[in-house]
């Protein structure tokens, strides 16, 4: 998007957000990484996600550069955009890549007085089926379905059922990244351990919701600290949405609610503006296709050397609010 058009669009959306009482955040986001110790002469392939504009974020690419030429592609299952680079005979050593984004992110409020209800919102059959089916680590039968059936027993509406599931995950999980097993979004592990990070919280919510016929989807990106105007970003953040015909896609962020219990009601039906989204979905086959297994989720770079996973990647993510930079 040309810069002048981007600024006009951003200003219009910011004014619209102000008029509706919703918050907005304008920032520069740096997505950078270094692939370490690439063997000389070996075929090397690199994929990493690309942020894109949607209803809640306006994204402009300021620059995209790397030690190999970058190609923009899109995977077919969810429409996620990504960058791809390859070398048939890598020079060896380290390979550096960086994309700089100018982002205007808007608060996403679906429930409550700030957003009017939709009438007869609907999903295409293919999309509905996609977000009702199991993922590799997200079963929709067995234990999570049994838990969900008990949890929603007294509810009649999809929103009521989703709120009961949200409350169950909030009450029965704890945010705990000690030891092993967390961070994979493995629902059965989460059911048994009752702890984990955002991936585990929202995978359990999605499994339970889908088991009750409520479409739900996994979204991932990065969280910006609300109390800083610039900083490094140590790692990803993920969240979820579920679909209701009267309200469309409804956002939830249970791990943030757990860390900020005073905002528990807010995070059922809202995502704040302190985030940037990069991709949707699980079990992702990239474009061009990787030789390895489908990716559990896609927020960090994925690298293959001679068709094998090369995990030696140094991450370097950071942001700065635009107002702070002026």
């Amino acid at each position: 998007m040309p810069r002048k058009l981007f600024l006009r669009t951003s200003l219009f959306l910011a004014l619209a957000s102000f008029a509706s009482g919703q918050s907005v955040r304008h920032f520069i986001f740096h997505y950078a990484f270094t692939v370490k110790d690439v063997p000389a002469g070996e075929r090397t392939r690199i994929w990493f996600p690309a942020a894109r504009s949607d209803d809640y974020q306006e994204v402009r690419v300021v620059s995209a550069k790397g030690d190999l030429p970058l190609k923009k592609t899109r995977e077919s299952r969810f429409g996620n955009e990504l960058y791809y680079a390859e070398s048939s005979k890598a020079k060896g050593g380290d390979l550096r890549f960086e994309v700089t984004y100018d982002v205007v992110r808007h608060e996403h409020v679906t429930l409550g007085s700030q957003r009017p209800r939709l009438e007869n919102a609907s999903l295409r059959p293919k999309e509905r089926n996609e977000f009702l089916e199991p993922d590799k680590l997200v079963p929709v039968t067995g234990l999570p379905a049994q838990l969900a059936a008990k949890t929603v027993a007294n509810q009649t509406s999809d929103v009521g059922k989703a709120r009961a599931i949200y409350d169950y995950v909030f009450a029965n999980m704890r945010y705990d990244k000690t030891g092993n097993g967390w961070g994979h979004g493995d629902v059965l592990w989460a059911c048994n351990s009752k702890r984990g990070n955002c991936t585990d919280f929202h995978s359990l919510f999605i499994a339970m919701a889908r088991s009750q016929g409520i479409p739900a989807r996994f979204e991932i990106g990065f969280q910006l600290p609300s109390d800083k105007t610039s900083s490094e970003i140590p790692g990803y953040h993920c969240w979820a949405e579920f679909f209701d015909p009267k309200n469309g896609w409804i956002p939830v962020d249970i791990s943030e609610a757990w860390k900020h219990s005073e905002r528990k009601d807010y995070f059922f039906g809202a995502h704040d503006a302190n985030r940037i989204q990069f991709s949707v979905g699980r079990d992702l086959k990239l474009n061009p296709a990787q030789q390895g297994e489908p990716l559990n989720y896609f927020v960090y770079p994925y690298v293959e050397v001679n068709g094998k996973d090369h995990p030696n990647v140094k991450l370097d993510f950071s942001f700065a609010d635009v107002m702070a930079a002026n």
Side-chain angles (χ1 to χ4, degrees):
M1 180 185 295
R3 180 171 176 78
K4 289 184 179 179
L5 177 59
F6 174 83
L7 291 174
R8 287 198 298 268
T9 303
S10 299
L11 177 60
F12 172 79
L13 291 172
L15 291 173
S17 291
F18 178 79
S20 67
Q22 296 173 22
S23 64
V24 62
R25 191 166 189 176
H26 188 184
F27 55 91
I28 302 296
F29 190 89
H30 296 278
Y31 186 110
F33 63 95
T34 303
V35 183
K36 307 287 289 184
D37 302 326
V38 177
E42 305 291 352
R43 188 188 186 201
T44 301
R45 308 172 75 204
I46 299 162
W47 300 258
F48 59 99
R52 63 173 177 169
S53 297
D54 59 27
D55 290 342
Y56 304 101
Q57 62 185 28
E58 290 296 316
V59 175
R60 183 176 68 89
V61 177
V62 177
S63 63
K65 55 189 178 182
D67 289 338
L68 296 174
L70 291 172
K71 177 183 178 182
K72 197 81 168 287
T73 72
R74 184 191 299 264
E75 58 84 30
S76 60
R77 186 178 176 194
F78 299 103
N80 294 307
E81 295 183 358
L82 58 143
Y83 287 98
Y84 174 71
E86 70 171 309
S87 174
S88 58
K89 293 183 179 180
K91 65 179 181 179
D94 296 347
L95 296 172
R96 171 80 176 177
F97 298 86
E98 180 174 3
V99 179
T100 301
Y101 297 100
D102 187 335
V103 183
V104 178
R105 178 75 193 197
H106 302 266
E107 183 182 19
H108 179 188
V109 179
T110 302
L111 299 179
S113 60
Q114 295 188 56
R115 283 290 299 272
R117 282 193 167 192
L118 301 175
E119 293 296 334
N120 301 318
S122 63
L123 295 176
R124 297 187 303 274
K126 181 179 179 181
E127 187 179 15
R128 180 177 177 82
N129 291 338
E130 182 72 65
F131 295 115
L132 284 174
E133 292 177 352
D135 296 310
K136 182 177 180 181
L137 296 178
V138 184
V140 298
T141 57
L143 181 56
Q146 295 167 13
L147 292 173
K150 294 179 181 178
T151 299
V152 306
N154 296 322
Q155 303 296 327
T156 56
S157 70
D158 283 354
V159 172
K161 292 176 182 179
R163 179 60 197 241
I165 294 168
Y166 176 94
D167 289 342
Y168 173 88
V169 175
F170 179 92
N172 287 275
M173 291 284 287
R174 71 180 189 277
Y175 195 89
D176 180 355
K177 299 195 294 184
T178 60
N180 298 315
W182 61 270
H184 299 293
D186 183 333
V187 169
L188 297 182
W189 183 89
C191 287
N192 292 323
S193 66
K194 298 187 183 302
R195 66 180 183 89
N197 74 344
C198 54
T199 320
D200 307 300
F201 274 67
H202 295 114
S203 296
L204 179 55
F205 174 86
I206 288 168
M208 293 175 70
R210 289 177 179 176
S211 78
Q212 298 305 301
I214 302 172
R217 63 188 181 190
F218 176 89
E219 301 173 336
I220 194 165
F222 298 90
Q223 184 176 36
L224 279 57
S226 60
D227 58 348
K228 296 180 180 179
T229 58
S230 65
S231 74
E232 295 182 351
I233 304 293
Y236 72 83
H237 180 51
C238 67
W239 47 90
E241 293 185 326
F242 70 93
F243 188 82
D244 172 64
K246 292 183 179 180
N247 296 280
W249 284 105
I250 298 177
V252 297
D253 194 335
I254 316 173
S255 57
E256 278 303 287
W258 195 93
K259 290 186 283 185
H260 304 282
S261 59
E262 74 281 1
R263 304 192 76 192
K264 178 187 175 186
D265 289 340
Y266 170 82
F267 281 115
F268 181 80
H271 287 150
D272 58 32
N274 302 315
R275 62 190 70 210
I276 176 175
Q277 182 172 316
F278 272 79
S279 66
V280 176
R282 306 280 295 270
D283 301 342
L284 294 161
K285 200 72 173 177
L286 305 177
N287 178 26
Q290 71 270 38
Q291 289 187 237
E293 293 295 316
L295 298 189
N296 187 17
Y297 45 80
F298 188 39
V299 69
Y300 293 153
Y302 175 69
V303 181
E304 288 183 348
V305 175
N306 279 340
K308 296 182 179 179
D309 180 18
H310 181 82
N312 191 2
V313 179
K314 181 180 182 295
L315 305 175
D316 183 12
F317 309 130
S318 63
F319 88 99
D321 286 331
V322 168
M323 292 301 293
N326 291 336

